[in-house]
């Protein structure tokens, strides 16, 4: 069912605080993107096997998920500004210490600290979108916010391995501290959001809003869909430099994956606002499974078919980017405004749990069998999730947009 398009609204980019959000996100995710493929390679150089390399990002995401459960509480008790400033510092500064050691235990400790900061950045970033922009334009606002997340990954994920191997790992670790210089953006955005929080009163339609338990149940399906697609996404981001065979093929595959991800997350926003997210979920999960099968075929038998691998990664990127936007729109639609930080936390837990599990599961499956079998395992998860979406209704489907709070 077609949704009415919102009219007579100011451009999203001119909403107070939105540009600061973009600046914080660009710098924060730049540091995240650089170390995502580079830190496992650094661990391998220090003597770790595939399983140990997978643990790097798995620990990063475990710490992220555990911290994300506490971020809504921190925002209520401490405030937006100090919470976000602490987050960008925790994400950025530990990167400098990676150059000191390549021993796996210390790398895991540093990854855990970075995960704490990443949790703050992710929950606060997506919560800020909902706090700054009116409900009928959440899809497009999330699309623009998604570009600020995806563009650093588009440039830096494919380039991280090249920088490390051509220049030096120390250059990667120095650039990985970029989130620390996002402090002014975090402080400015925090002041804006703290002011909005003081002025905010519940909207009239929230007097009959669902209870916390019911609202949380509405967030489960979007989070599981996101987990299903970010598991293979996390595996590709972590292991492409190892499964591609050459640095050139790895860079091209990651460029295709991150580029399509960025465009898809931005482009699907208008469709989400107009038609609702639920109609797109199952087809995109099925498309992701098809792309993963193609990737697995491309690296079967110990060889690499570069064209098939790059094509498969691009197909996965369509689903990976689109479903990030759609599931966040569905999460915000499932709860009243006062619970948007909770919706953001649950959504980010699904995202980061999937990324970490993808790295962990595919790494250990590859250590025992092959990367091809590991990718096929995640394809099965996508197919199962697609079937579940067809059975269980998702918020934000056929109903109209939520009133602006």
């Amino acid at each position: 069912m077609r949704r009415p398009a919102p009219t007579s609204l100011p451009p999203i980019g001119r909403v107070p605080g939105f540009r600061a959000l973009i600046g914080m996100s660009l710098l924060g995710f730049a540091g995240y993107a650089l170390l995502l493929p580079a830190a496992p390679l650094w661990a391998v150089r220090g003597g770790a096997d595939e399983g140990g390399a997978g643990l790097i990002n798995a620990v990063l995401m475990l710490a992220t998920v555990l911290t994300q459960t506490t971020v809504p509480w921190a925002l209520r008790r401490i405030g937006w500004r100090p919470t976000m400033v602490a987050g960008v510092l925790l994400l950025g500064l530990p990167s400098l210490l990676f150059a000191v050691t390549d021993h796996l235990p210390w790398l895991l400790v540093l990854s855990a600290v970075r995960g704490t900061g990443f949790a703050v950045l992710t929950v606060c970033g997506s919560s800020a979108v909902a706090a700054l922009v009116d409900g009928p334009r959440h899809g497009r606002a999330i699309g623009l916010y998604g570009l600020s997340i995806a563009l650093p990954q588009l440039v830096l994920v494919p380039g991280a391995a090249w920088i490390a191997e051509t220049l030096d790992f120390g250059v990667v670790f120095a650039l990985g501290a970029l989130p620390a210089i996002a402090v002014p953006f975090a402080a400015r955005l925090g002041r804006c959001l703290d002011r909005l929080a003081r002025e905010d009163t519940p909207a009239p339609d929230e007097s009959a809003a669902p209870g916390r338990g019911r609202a949380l149940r509405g967030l489960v399906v979007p989070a599981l869909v996101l987990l299903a697609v970010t598991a293979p996404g996390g595996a590709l981001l972590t292991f492409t430099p190892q499964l591609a065979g050459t640095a050139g093929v790895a860079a091209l595959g990651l460029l295709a994956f991150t580029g399509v991800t960025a465009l898809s997350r931005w482009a699907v926003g208008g469709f989400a606002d107009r038609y609702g997210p639920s109609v797109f979920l199952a087809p995109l999960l099925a498309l992701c499974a098809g792309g993963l099968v193609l990737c697995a075929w491309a690296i079967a038998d110990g060889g690499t078919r570069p064209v098939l691998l790059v094509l498969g990664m691009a197909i996965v990127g369509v689903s990976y980017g689109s479903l990030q936007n759609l599931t966040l729109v569905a999460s915000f639609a499932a709860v009243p405004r006062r619970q948007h930080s909770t919706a953001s936390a649950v959504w980010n837990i699904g995202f980061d749990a999937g990324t970490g599990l993808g790295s962990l599961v595919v790494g250990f499956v590859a250590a025992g069998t092959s990367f091809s079998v590991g990718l096929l395992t995640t394809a099965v998860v996508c197919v199962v999730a697609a079937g579940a979406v067809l059975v269980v209704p998702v918020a934000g489907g056929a109903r109209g947009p939520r009133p602006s709070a």
Side-chain angles (χ1 to χ4, degrees), residues 150-228:
L151 287 177
Q153 297 184 64
L154 171 63
V155 176
L156 298 175
V157 170
W162 181 87
I163 294 171
E165 294 175 0
T166 305
L167 300 177
D168 188 72
F169 275 95
V171 176
V172 176
F173 299 143
L175 293 174
L178 282 172
I181 67 174
V183 168
F185 292 111
R188 180 182 173 189
L189 176 60
R191 283 194 298 268
C192 179
L193 292 169
D194 282 329
R195 177 179 55 79
L196 290 175
R198 289 191 297 268
E199 297 173 354
D200 189 39
T201 55
D205 66 320
E206 290 189 4
S207 58
R212 184 179 180 86
R214 183 179 175 186
L216 287 174
R217 287 194 295 272
L219 300 173
V220 170
V221 174
L224 291 177
V225 169
L226 190 64
L227 187 150

Side-chain angles (χ1 to χ4, degrees), residues 101-398:
T101 178
D102 58 6
H103 292 190
L104 184 60
W106 285 112
L107 299 183
L108 296 178
V109 171
L110 293 173
S111 295
V113 176
R114 293 183 66 246
T116 301
F118 189 58
V120 174
L121 178 69
T122 52
V123 173
C124 289
S126 49
S127 296
V129 174
L132 295 171
V133 180
D134 49 281
R137 296 190 297 170
H138 277 168
R140 275 169 285 184
I142 291 167
L144 289 175
Y145 167 68
L147 279 179
S148 71
I149 292 174
L151 287 177
Q153 297 184 64
L154 171 63
V155 176
L156 298 175
V157 170
W162 181 87
I163 294 171
E165 294 175 0
T166 305
L167 300 177
D168 188 72
F169 275 95
V171 176
V172 176
F173 299 143
L175 293 174
L178 282 172
I181 67 174
V183 168
F185 292 111
R188 180 182 173 189
L189 176 60
R191 283 194 298 268
C192 179
L193 292 169
D194 282 329
R195 177 179 55 79
L196 290 175
R198 289 191 297 268
E199 297 173 354
D200 189 39
T201 55
D205 66 320
E206 290 189 4
S207 58
R212 184 179 180 86
R214 183 179 175 186
L216 287 174
R217 287 194 295 272
L219 300 173
V220 170
V221 174
L224 291 177
V225 169
L226 190 64
L227 187 150
V229 77
T230 53
L236 290 175
L237 289 169
T238 300
F239 293 115
T240 294
Q242 295 171 247
L243 59 86
T246 67
V249 174
L252 189 59
L254 287 170
L255 182 63
F257 177 72
T258 54
V260 172
T261 293
L263 291 174
S264 299
R265 185 166 182 174
W266 167 72
V268 80
F271 294 102
D273 287 337
R274 185 160 297 181
Y275 299 104
S278 62
V279 67
F280 302 105
L281 301 184
L284 285 168
L285 284 166
L287 181 67
C288 185
L292 290 167
V293 170
L294 193 59
C295 289
W297 181 27
I299 60 172
D301 304 321
T304 302
R305 301 169 180 86
V307 174
L308 293 181
L309 179 62
V310 172
L311 178 60
M313 291 181 68
I315 292 172
V316 175
V318 173
S319 298
Y320 184 72
S322 298
L323 287 171
Q324 288 175 38
N325 188 314
L326 296 168
T327 52
L328 187 54
V329 172
S331 296
F332 287 146
V335 299
R337 177 170 178 170
R338 67 176 181 270
Q339 294 180 356
H340 278 169
S341 63
T342 300
S344 175
V346 172
W347 181 89
N348 277 286
I349 287 170
F351 186 102
D352 297 320
T355 302
L357 285 173
S359 298
L360 185 64
V361 171
V362 172
F364 278 104
V365 170
T369 55
S370 68
F371 279 116
S372 183
V373 175
L375 293 178
L376 289 175
T377 302
T378 62
V380 172
V381 173
C382 288
V383 172
V384 172
V389 166
L390 295 175
V391 175
V392 182
V394 179

Side-chain angles (χ1 to χ4, degrees), residues 33-125:
L34 277 161
L35 266 65
L36 199 63
L41 285 177
W42 184 242
V44 170
R45 176 170 290 194
D49 61 8
E50 290 87 347
L55 275 175
I56 296 289
N57 287 337
V59 167
L60 171 74
M61 292 308 165
L62 176 61
T64 298
V65 169
L66 293 176
T67 306
Q68 282 167 342
T69 62
T70 69
V71 174
W73 173 88
L75 294 178
R76 292 191 301 269
R77 299 288 180 149
I78 304 173
W80 287 84
R81 185 182 178 187
T83 300
M84 289 193 296
V85 168
V88 294
L89 290 174
L90 287 170
L91 176 59
L93 294 180
S95 176
L96 300 174
L97 299 178
F98 273 79
V100 176
T101 178
D102 58 6
H103 292 190
L104 184 60
W106 285 112
L107 299 183
L108 296 178
V109 171
L110 293 173
S111 295
V113 176
R114 293 183 66 246
T116 301
F118 189 58
V120 174
L121 178 69
T122 52
V123 173
C124 289

